[in-house]
Amino acid sequence: MVITSSNSQLTEQELEDMFNTALQVAKEAGNVIRDAFYKEKKVDTKMSAADLVTETDQAIEKMVESMIVKKYPTHRFIGEESTKDHEKHKLTDDPTWIIDPIDGTTNFVNHIPEVCFSLGIMVNKKTVIGVVYAPIKEELFTARLGKGSFLNGRKLQASKITDLKKAVILFEGGASRDAKILEDKMANTHSLYTHARGMRSYGSGALSICNVAAGRGQGFFEYGLHIWDFTAGGLIATEAGAVVLDPSGGELNPLHRRVLCACTQEVAHSLSQLLVHIDMGWD
Amino acid sequence: MSELDLEEMYAVAISVAREAGQIIRDAFDKEKEVDTKQSAADLVTESDQAVEKMVNSRILGKFPNHRFIGEETTAVSGEKHQLTDEPTWIIDPIDGTTNFVNSIQEVSFSLGIMVNKKAVIGVVYAPIKDEMFTARLGKGAYLNGKKLKASKITDLKQAVIITEGGSSRDIKVVEDKVKNIHTLITHTRGIRSYGSAAINLCHVAAGRGQGYIEYGIHIWDFIAGALIASEAGAVVLDPTGCDLDPLRRRILCACSAEVAKGLSQILTHLDMGSD
């Protein structure tokens, strides 16, 4: 792909076109997911026995990449399945489409409905468009920077809870089976049971962040996910009034493979102070 | 009980579930006044109490000789329950009260009917998602009229297991529960947690997940869901692998006997007392 000059300037019309393309792409991806959902799946593993990939993941990514490249040949593309093992990404100012063809692949394989297609578009290293489509649940989450976020057309507003003791926190076990990482994750689980109202786990990072945006839960954190898991959801959450940070409380670094999303600053602060922060490397 | 009696009871159960669902749906987006029971994580609202009162009066109005066990009446009386052979309606007016308070959709009304100490009718209605799970003993389990079939997975390593933190904040109990979560993550494909025991059992029945394990719940949380799950082909047992004791406050539900056995062998089994 040709790389354009830095500090891209896009018009409102161009952004709107990109948003409409994103919706179209999400719809097509959703159709593929829905068709395949109840069938038998051929499953491979990636980094661990719990890190799954199917031919559907790969088919969707290929289809989406070709749709985008056709319309926007100068834009960049970062996809989960086309990222080679140990390939490192660098963010530039160019419009960059970041996709997870199926977030919640384990759910997809095990017939659990929390499965989604996630597409975030960054320009000048900032997320400007976010689309998360959960086709089995028929839930389309969308956001454009500065224009709010929506679920099936209904405007979203995160919870106003400030007290962690009243908050329900979403978390994931994740795909790593490294003993030390799991030990730290269990320490965090224990802390949350004793300091929050409760915990929930759905198996999709993108949908969990969208749930915080929708007020269905007051916080989400994860160590070890990837930029394609949370770029779109992160914008959807902030446009609904939530905060999205690095778990340590600092600014989110999109390539640092960890995220904390909370309905308010106060809940975010409490979580940052409570959790053991795990370094999971870089995308 | 004749077949006609059971059919009539079933029809009343469905009608009562829909009415309870309406109350829950109406209250869901509003501000709630919340009290606590056994711990800061064990919540009750006026909706729980309103639903239970409505259901109690509907049932006693139609079946004055039947028995009634409800979560909120038990919380007030503190009584210990004994199961008899009489038709006994066992209800949880809102299973997933924390979800209800925190605007999370996994909220359900659960109603199980036991006759001769066996569950014969089970209804779990999740009104925000509009999912009506039903079962009659020997007649299969259904979700919104569609027949349910649990997964056929036998290998624990391919199973996704549902479990809950629960409402106890006792130090030893929380320690054991976190240990079990750790064990589950290392031996299975992953864990999930939705916040409603009744819905969790229905998920296993529907093939959305391959097992569910919890220590510390009550008979009203699982009596309906357990019938729905077993009628869908799942197994329902005590976590140790023995027969389920409905008053023993713990349950293991798995899509297959093999997954059940796998779970029994790896978990730390907690004694949470009796209802």
Side-chain angles (χ1 to χ4, degrees):
Chain A
M1 249 179 273
V2 174
I3 294 175
T4 60
S5 59
S6 65
N7 207 7
S8 303
Q9 294 293 334
L10 291 172
T11 65
E12 174 57 29
Q13 186 60 54
E14 282 169 315
L15 286 167
E16 218 176 287
D17 281 346
M18 286 159 68
F19 181 63
N20 288 329
T21 302
L23 290 178
Q24 189 56 39
V25 156
K27 190 167 169 214
E28 301 258 359
N31 287 341
V32 177
I33 291 171
R34 205 182 296 108
D35 287 344
F37 187 72
Y38 292 105
K39 303 195 168 104
E40 275 311 304
K41 288 126 190 146
K42 222 176 88 96
V43 183
D44 282 315
T45 57
K46 294 190 286 185
M47 304 290 280
S48 79
D51 189 9
L52 307 183
V53 62
T54 68
E55 50 194 358
T56 313
D57 293 75
Q58 291 156 339
I60 290 173
E61 186 156 319
K62 224 169 146 186
M63 170 194 73
V64 166
E65 186 173 0
S66 81
M67 279 173 85
I68 294 167
V69 166
K70 194 166 170 195
K71 243 203 132 185
Y72 300 102
T74 58
H75 289 190
R76 299 192 66 216
F77 179 88
I78 295 177
E80 174 170 19
E81 305 314 332
S82 43
T83 298
K84 300 182 198 28
D85 277 355
H86 308 300
E87 176 184 349
K88 291 297 171 202
H89 288 292
K90 247 210 281 238
L91 291 174
T92 70
D93 288 340
D94 299 318
T96 306
W97 298 58
I98 302 167
I99 82 139
D100 190 346
I102 301 180
D103 187 51
T105 298
T106 298
N107 285 349
F108 178 65
V109 172
N110 282 54
H111 303 121
I112 296 166
E114 280 74 23
V115 166
C116 66
F117 169 79
S118 176
L119 163 47
I121 306 175
M122 294 183 93
V123 179
N124 300 325
K125 301 193 188 76
K126 256 193 359 199
T127 311
V128 294
I129 287 167
V131 175
V132 172
Y133 179 37
I136 311 303
K137 296 161 77 89
E138 266 314 334
E139 293 194 326
L140 176 67
F141 295 89
T142 60
R144 283 192 54 192
L145 183 62
K147 293 177 187 280
S149 60
F150 299 84
L151 163 55
N152 292 350
R154 186 173 67 90
K155 201 166 205 283
L156 293 180
Q157 172 62 55
S159 292
K160 298 222 188 300
I161 285 172
T162 53
D163 182 359
L164 184 62
K165 280 199 258 0
K166 295 190 171 151
V168 170
I169 306 301
L170 313 186
F171 80 105
E172 293 297 327
S176 171
R177 293 295 177 265
D178 174 275
K180 175 71 171 85
I181 287 172
L182 277 184
E183 203 180 286
D184 285 344
K185 287 191 177 185
M186 289 305 102
N188 285 340
T189 302
H190 190 251
S191 298
L192 282 163
Y193 275 131
T194 42
H195 290 82
R197 194 172 252 176
M199 303 187 66
R200 304 287 178 266
S201 198
Y202 299 113
S204 160
L207 282 179
S208 296
I209 301 176
C210 290
N211 277 349
V212 177
R216 303 166 178 172
Q218 289 69 45
F220 168 72
F221 69 96
E222 193 174 353
Y223 301 90
L225 68 184
H226 297 272
I227 186 173
W228 45 77
D229 293 318
F230 63 79
T231 295
L235 180 67
I236 290 161
T238 50
E239 286 293 321
V243 302
V244 176
L245 304 163
D246 181 81
S248 62
E251 224 179 285
L252 179 76
N253 183 327
L255 294 171
H256 202 182
R257 296 196 57 196
R258 55 194 213 181
V259 73
L260 187 155
C261 172
C263 60
T264 58
Q265 287 285 358
E266 291 87 344
V267 168
H269 182 67
S270 303
L271 287 172
S272 291
Q273 295 204 305
L274 190 62
L275 297 169
V276 171
H277 302 303
I278 309 170
D279 193 332
M280 301 290 290
W282 298 81
D283 273 321
Chain B
M1 293 250 111
S2 70
E3 174 59 26
L4 204 59
D5 289 332
L6 288 167
E7 237 179 80
E8 204 189 337
M9 287 157 69
Y10 179 66
V12 170
I14 302 274
S15 155
V16 148
R18 291 221 177 272
E19 212 178 324
Q22 192 56 51
I23 296 176
I24 293 170
R25 228 196 320 273
D26 287 345
F28 188 72
D29 288 320
K30 302 197 171 98
E31 274 307 308
K32 289 124 189 151
E33 241 214 52
V34 183
D35 281 318
T36 58
K37 295 188 287 185
Q38 299 277 319
S39 79
D42 189 8
L43 308 183
V44 62
T45 68
E46 52 194 357
S47 298
D48 293 74
Q49 291 154 339
V51 169
E52 185 154 323
K53 213 168 157 193
M54 181 271 298
V55 171
N56 194 348
S57 80
R58 289 275 175 284
I59 294 165
L60 290 182
K62 266 231 102 177
F63 305 101
N65 300 322
H66 290 191
R67 297 192 62 214
F68 179 88
I69 295 177
E71 173 171 20
E72 304 315 330
T73 356
T74 305
V76 168
S77 68
E79 64 197 283
K80 285 289 178 201
H81 288 292
Q82 230 166 351
L83 292 174
T84 70
D85 287 343
E86 288 155 335
T88 305
W89 298 59
I90 302 167
I91 82 139
D92 190 346
I94 301 180
D95 187 51
T97 298
T98 298
N99 284 350
F100 178 66
V101 171
N102 282 56
S103 303
I104 296 168
Q105 301 191 321
E106 281 76 19
V107 166
S108 65
F109 169 79
S110 177
L111 163 49
I113 305 174
M114 294 183 93
V115 178
N116 300 326
K117 301 194 189 76
K118 253 189 4 192
V120 293
I121 287 168
V123 175
V124 172
Y125 181 40
I128 311 305
K129 297 154 85 83
D130 200 19
E131 293 195 323
M132 174 74 81
F133 294 90
T134 59
R136 284 191 55 194
L137 185 62
K139 293 179 187 280
Y142 296 83
L143 163 55
N144 292 349
K146 189 166 79 92
K147 204 165 203 281
L148 292 179
K149 189 89 193 64
S151 290
K152 294 213 190 311
I153 285 173
T154 54
D155 180 1
L156 189 60
K157 279 201 265 348
Q158 293 182 11
V160 170
I161 305 298
I162 308 170
T163 191
E164 296 295 336
S167 55
S168 169
R169 292 295 177 266
D170 173 274
I171 293 172
K172 181 73 174 76
V173 168
V174 171
E175 202 180 284
D176 283 346
K177 286 190 178 186
V178 174
K179 189 159 159 223
N180 279 340
I181 289 172
H182 190 190
T183 301
L184 284 167
I185 290 176
T186 45
H187 288 79
T188 70
R189 205 169 243 178
I191 57 147
R192 302 288 179 266
S193 210
Y194 301 106
S196 160
I199 286 178
N200 291 343
L201 287 161
C202 292
H203 278 185
V204 178
R208 304 168 179 171
Q210 288 69 48
Y212 164 59
I213 179 99
E214 195 169 355
Y215 303 87
I217 48 177
H218 299 272
I219 186 172
W220 45 77
D221 293 318
F222 64 76
I223 196 74
L227 180 66
I228 292 162
S230 55
E231 285 293 318
V235 302
V236 178
L237 301 164
D238 180 83
T240 55
C242 301
D243 276 353
L244 179 75
D245 179 339
L247 293 172
R248 192 90 209 278
R249 298 196 59 197
R250 57 193 207 180
I251 192 167
L252 186 159
C253 173
C255 61
S256 61
E258 292 88 343
V259 168
K261 185 160 177 222
L263 290 170
S264 291
Q265 295 191 316
I266 60 174
L267 293 168
T268 297
H269 302 302
L270 290 90
D271 190 335
M272 303 291 288
S274 298
D275 273 321

